């Protein structure tokens, strides 16, 4: 299934990052599968709507507001969409001189 973002949306692939859990002496019960939410997330751009104003390209690694990601399930697949204005920055590797 091909997904084409519209309306200034960006199709993103979420990065799987290891989350370190800090242990304490306190015990808190949480539901199975619980993951603490982070305010920011890292991902890769899979596609950009034609009407986007920002200079974002397919393949860019970005940092974005994780609370603004829209999870869309269609035909047995899950897709993640984000409005372009919730992208905080583009990450680039430093070039060796």
């Amino acid at each position: 299934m091909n997904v084409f973002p519209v309306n200034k949306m960006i199709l993103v692939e979420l990065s799987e990052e290891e989350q370190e859990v800090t242990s304490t002496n306190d015990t808190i019960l949480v539901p199975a599968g619980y993951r603490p939410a982070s305010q920011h997330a890292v991902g890769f751009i899979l596609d950009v709507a034609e009407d986007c104003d920002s200079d974002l390209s397919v393949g860019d690694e970005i940092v974005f507001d994780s609370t603004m990601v829209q999870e869309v399930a269609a035909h047995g697949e899950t897709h993640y969409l984000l409005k372009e204005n919730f992208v905080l920055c583009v990450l680039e590797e430093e070039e060796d001189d």
Side-chain angles (χ1 to χ4, degrees):
M1 165 82 41
N2 291 328
V3 176
F4 302 99
V6 296
N7 225 9
K8 299 193 178 206
M9 298 295 279
I10 298 167
L11 181 65
V12 296
E13 175 184 354
L14 305 179
S15 293
E16 292 294 325
E17 294 185 332
E18 296 291 327
Q19 290 189 0
E20 294 182 18
V21 177
T22 306
S23 67
T24 64
N25 292 334
D26 298 332
T27 302
I28 299 172
L29 298 177
V30 296
Y34 170 78
R35 291 179 55 168
S38 172
Q39 182 178 356
H40 302 104
V42 177
F44 294 91
I45 296 178
L46 299 176
D47 202 0
V48 178
E50 291 180 10
D51 60 350
C52 282
D53 298 325
S54 55
D55 188 25
L56 297 171
S57 301
V58 172
D60 284 351
E61 185 175 18
I62 57 172
V63 176
F64 52 90
D65 184 335
S66 63
T67 62
M68 296 293 122
V69 175
Q70 297 182 33
E71 185 176 314
V72 178
H75 299 285
E77 296 179 15
T78 302
H79 307 280
Y80 300 96
L81 294 156
L82 175 73
K83 283 276 192 193
E84 69 175 324
N85 58 321
F86 293 115
V87 174
L88 302 174
C89 63
V90 176
L91 302 175
E92 291 183 357
E93 293 287 331
E94 290 187 34
E95 294 182 22
D96 293 330
D97 290 330

